[in-house]
């Protein structure tokens, strides 16, 4: 990838020749290929709409079903909206400690992502700006972490957490989550850090700035898109994480949302509408963020990966 | 927290202190590298998860390597990895190219394309369990009898259901990566190709694909190594069943350790998982030519 455009990340450049109205019609292209650069791409468009249907239908089904009462669920057509929409299922879920699970998820996510960003940023700065065998070795260690399915280490982690008397606490989820977020964070942050011109650092150094100051006053503003990317990516991962909570927590007081969906499904297995209402409720917070800040979220996510 | 000791004479050559990397390194050593050795150590022990850990030589390894379920788990993992890659990679690439174009309606479509990104695997799996119900799911709902099958109870069908649901959840993320990649291709390349009379398909193969080389490597690596971590989705969707038909290696490890209380054997399976992941990642890096990160390090 030619590293041409950097900061600010999302370039408004398009590959297509914008504003070119196609005047040659006729679907000459025989493949379902992407950007219609010159004329409408019928096959591509068809594929695009088809995929949309694949995405929408399940979501529609879940929402519609969650608004039915049990009798309605068993008698009506599954794809039809309920004749008497009800919010009872949502009430049932909310009455079942949903708020507490939500708070737990929030604590674990913020508690993992913020420290992970902080330590990864410092490490990326040292790796990019520093020299020496130790830093090279450190970087290689992190790169190794990218190649290894870290979930394979869950058993020793379980042992460590138990030994440290952290089993069934939120901290038990936070600590390994921080560690697991570090490799990808350091990789993306250091990729961006390399593009900050050396002269800027040198001039600050000549002005007598310490590394600490350079890090927060120069490197951080210059790599903001990457920091956002890493933050969003890790937050999504931790928020939706299932394996750590399953293995490292037990009681309802430390339950996080994804796990609560699963236990809820066990408790209310016959009440499908209620189970689906819990799925909708658990997704709602992220959906709200998505609706409000879609551009930042998506461009933030891509900025780090498509370099 | 230590900052550098700004006392060197050779101001311009002095980098920051390595201490800045220490906090991240400590975390990572403690919760990733040490457990990595831990899992190797535990594979030579007997432990039920609660009591004493006893050294036990190679017995866990003998158990794991002679158990037909292990071979089956490897086979299931390979199948799911292969099929989900075959389905996801072309789809994500095409959708990424498609959504990177500048037409309004595509941008509108893309808004909805990315929604599955937000869902947890547990939520997706639970939703699909309801959706695939032969009596109250999609089949009867759309009046399509062929959709009203016992998808999750039929060991011939269930693997494809798993692959489909994985694709449904993860294609959006890779689409996003490809979309970003396509948008970084200089438009002048396309303009030149157009002047030379290259059509859309020609342009795709002559410009888009070669230009996306690194994006393809990034996405494929994430996809393949990621398929060793499809744990939660399959766990909630099928629990590994029916029978052993969707018992992937990570799931098999979990069930062996935390359900059958044989942590030694589960650790041996963990070691196998690590080795496979490492081998695949190295292979993909090789395929992609030189290791970019290393080369960038040299030029840093």
């Amino acid at each position: 990838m030619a590293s041409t455009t950097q900061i600010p990340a999302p370039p408004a450049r398009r590959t297509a020749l914008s504003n070119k109205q196609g005047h040659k019609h006729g679907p000459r292209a025989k493949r379902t290929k992407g950007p219609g650069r010159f004329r409408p791409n019928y096959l591509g468009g068809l594929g695009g709409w088809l995929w949309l249907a694949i995405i929408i239908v399940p979501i529609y089904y879940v929402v519609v079903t969650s608004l039915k009462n049990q009798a309605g669920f068993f008698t009506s057509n599954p794809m039809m909206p309920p004749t008497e929409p009800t919010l009872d299922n949502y009430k049932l879920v909310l009455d079942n400690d949903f708020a507490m699970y939500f708070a737990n998820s929030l604590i674990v996510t913020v508690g993992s992502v913020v420290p992970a960003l902080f330590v990864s940023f410092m490490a990326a700065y040292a790796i990019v700006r520093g020299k020496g065998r130790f830093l090279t070795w450190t970087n290689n260690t992190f790169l190794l972490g990218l190649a290894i399915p870290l979930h394979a280490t869950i058993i020793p982690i379980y042992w460590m957490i138990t030994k440290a008397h952290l089993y069934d606490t939120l901290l038990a989820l936070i600590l390994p989550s921080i560690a697991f977020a570090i490799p990808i964070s350091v990789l993306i942050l250091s990729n961006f850090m390399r593009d900050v011109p050396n002269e800027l650092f040198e001039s600050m150094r000549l002005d007598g700035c310490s590394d600490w100051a350079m890090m927060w006053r120069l490197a951080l503003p210059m790599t903001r898109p990457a920091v956002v990317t890493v933050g969003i990516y890790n937050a999504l991962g931790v928020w939706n994480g299932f394996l750590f909570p399953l293995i490292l927590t037990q009681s309802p007081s430390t339950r996080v949302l994804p796990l609560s969906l699963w236990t809820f499904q066990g408790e209310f297995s016959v009440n499908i509408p209620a189970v689906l209402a819990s799925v909708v409720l658990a997704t709602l917070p992220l959906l709200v963020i998505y609706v409000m800040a879609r551009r930042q979220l998506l461009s933030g996510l891509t900025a780090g990966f498509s370099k | 927290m230590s900052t550098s000791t700004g006392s060197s004479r050779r101001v311009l050559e002095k980098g920051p202190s390595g201490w800045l990397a220490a906090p991240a390194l400590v975390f990572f050593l403690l919760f990733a590298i040490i457990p990595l050795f831990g899992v190797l150590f535990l594979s030579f022990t007997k432990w039920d998860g609660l009591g004493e850990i006893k050294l036990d030589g190679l017995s866990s390894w003998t158990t794991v390597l002679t158990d037909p379920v292990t071979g089956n788990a490897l086979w299931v993992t390979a199948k799911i990895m292969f099929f989900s890659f075959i389905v996801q990679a072309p789809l994500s690439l095409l959708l990424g190219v498609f959504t990177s174009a500048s037409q309004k309606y595509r941008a509108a479509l893309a808004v909805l394309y990315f929604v599955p990104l937000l869902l947890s695997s547990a939520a997706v799996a639970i939703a699909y369990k309801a959706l695939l119900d032969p009596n109250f799911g999609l089949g009867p709902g759309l009046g399509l009898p062929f959709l009203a099958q016992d998808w999750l109870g039929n060991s011939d069908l269930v693997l494809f259901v798993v692959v489909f649901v994985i694709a449904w959840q993860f294609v959006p993320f890779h689409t996003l990566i490809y979309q970003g990649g396509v948008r970084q291709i200089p438009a002048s390349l396309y303009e030149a190709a157009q002047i030379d009379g290259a059509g859309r398909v020609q342009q795709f193969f002559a410009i888009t694909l070669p230009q996306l080389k690194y994006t393809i490597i990034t996405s494929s690596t994430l996809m393949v190594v990621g398929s060793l971590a499809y744990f939660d989705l399959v766990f909630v969707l099928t629990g590994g069943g029916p029978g052993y038909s969707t018992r992937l290696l990570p799931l098999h490890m979990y069930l062996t350790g935390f359900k059958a209380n044989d942590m030694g054997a589960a650790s041996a399976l963990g070691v196998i998982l690590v080795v496979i992941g490492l081998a695949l990642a190295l292979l993909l890096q090789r395929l992609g030519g030189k290791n970019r990160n290393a080369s960038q390090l040299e030029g840093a």
Side-chain angles (χ1 to χ4, degrees), chain A residues 269-303:
Chain A
S269 54
V270 286
N271 192 349
I272 301 284
V275 171
L276 294 182
S278 74
V279 168
V280 174
L281 271 180
T283 311
L284 221 45
L286 290 180
L287 215 54
V288 170
I289 295 173
Y290 183 72
V291 168
M292 288 191 323
R294 182 174 53 87
R295 277 182 199 289
Q296 292 86 321
L297 190 91
L298 294 182
S299 61
L301 258 183
T302 21

Side-chain angles (χ1 to χ4, degrees), chain A residues 1 15 17 35-39 48 54 61 77 139 156 160 191 205 211 240 243 265 283 286 290 302 306, chain B residues 4 11 14 16 30 35 97 106 111 113 118-120 130 136 168 176 182 184 194 200 203 214-215 231 296:
Chain A
M1 196 62 55
T15 55
L17 293 172
R37 280 184 244 288
F38 342 87
R39 49 182 190 275
I54 290 176
Y61 170 87
N77 177 310
N139 191 39
M160 285 162 63
N191 272 345
R205 170 79 75 203
D211 273 302
N240 289 330
L243 184 63
Q265 184 205 229
T283 311
L286 290 180
Y290 183 72
T302 21
S306 52
Chain B
S4 93
V11 160
K14 199 180 73 65
L30 207 56
V97 173
R106 293 190 187 184
V111 172
Y113 282 173
L118 311 169
L119 299 165
S120 67
F136 306 105
W168 192 88
L176 198 59
V182 172
Q184 293 204 341
Q194 216 164 349
R200 181 187 292 139
Q203 287 193 15
Y214 285 125
T215 314
F231 165 85
Q296 282 189 336

Side-chain angles (χ1 to χ4, degrees), chain B residues 67-80:
Chain B
D67 185 1
V69 179
T70 307
N72 180 68
L74 284 169
W75 177 231
V76 170
T77 308
K79 277 195 291 191
I80 288 183

Side-chain angles (χ1 to χ4, degrees), chain B residues 13-242:
Chain B
E13 287 177 32
K14 199 180 73 65
S17 150
W19 282 108
L20 289 175
L25 188 65
V26 168
F27 259 109
F28 195 65
L29 286 179
L30 207 56
F31 288 99
I33 301 296
I34 291 176
L36 212 53
F37 288 107
V39 82
L40 187 61
F41 170 76
L42 284 174
S43 71
F44 298 107
T45 65
K46 258 263 164 290
W47 183 39
D48 61 3
L50 297 166
E52 288 291 296
I53 301 178
K54 290 195 184 67
L55 271 174
D56 199 26
L58 288 171
S59 78
S60 290
W61 281 99
T62 330
T63 312
V64 163
L65 294 175
T66 54
D67 185 1
V69 179
T70 307
N72 180 68
L74 284 169
W75 177 231
V76 170
T77 308
K79 277 195 291 191
I80 288 183
M81 190 183 287
F82 175 78
F83 285 119
S84 61
F85 183 79
I86 290 295
V87 171
Q88 285 185 77
L91 250 177
S92 323
L93 178 63
L94 290 179
L95 284 167
V97 173
F98 178 75
T99 54
S100 65
S102 54
Q103 288 152 327
K104 280 277 178 288
Y105 88 94
R106 293 190 187 184
L109 288 186
V111 172
L112 292 159
Y113 282 173
F114 298 127
V115 169
L117 267 179
L118 311 169
L119 299 165
S120 67
S121 293
V124 172
I126 289 170
Y128 267 95
K129 268 170 111 163
L131 248 153
L132 294 168
D133 188 283
N135 302 313
F136 306 105
L138 202 56
L142 295 173
L144 297 169
F146 80 90
L147 277 178
Q149 311 230 27
D150 186 11
W151 291 106
L152 297 172
N154 178 330
S155 53
D156 297 330
L157 293 174
V158 71
L159 197 76
F160 296 100
V161 173
V162 168
V163 168
F164 179 85
V165 178
I166 285 172
W168 192 88
Q169 191 181 9
F170 294 104
V171 160
F173 176 67
H174 294 279
T175 299
L176 198 59
I177 294 181
Y178 280 118
Q179 187 192 53
V182 172
R183 285 185 176 166
Q184 293 204 341
I185 301 173
S188 55
L189 292 177
Y190 290 104
E191 284 160 29
Q194 216 164 349
I195 290 165
D196 290 345
R200 181 187 292 139
V201 177
Q202 259 182 305
Q203 287 193 15
F204 176 83
F205 284 105
I207 300 169
T208 310
L209 267 188
Q211 287 283 325
L212 284 178
K213 182 182 168 186
Y214 285 125
T215 314
I216 292 171
I217 294 168
T218 304
S219 162
S220 303
T221 308
L222 289 171
M223 234 179 244
V224 171
V225 177
S227 60
L228 292 174
Y230 294 149
F231 165 85
D232 29 14
L233 189 82
V234 183
F235 176 75
V236 178
L237 190 66
T238 69

Side-chain angles (χ1 to χ4, degrees), chain A residues 7 33 61 172 199 229-231 262 266 278:
Chain A
I7 310 142
K33 283 288 179 285
Y61 170 87
E199 295 77 28
T229 299
V230 168
W262 183 62
S278 74

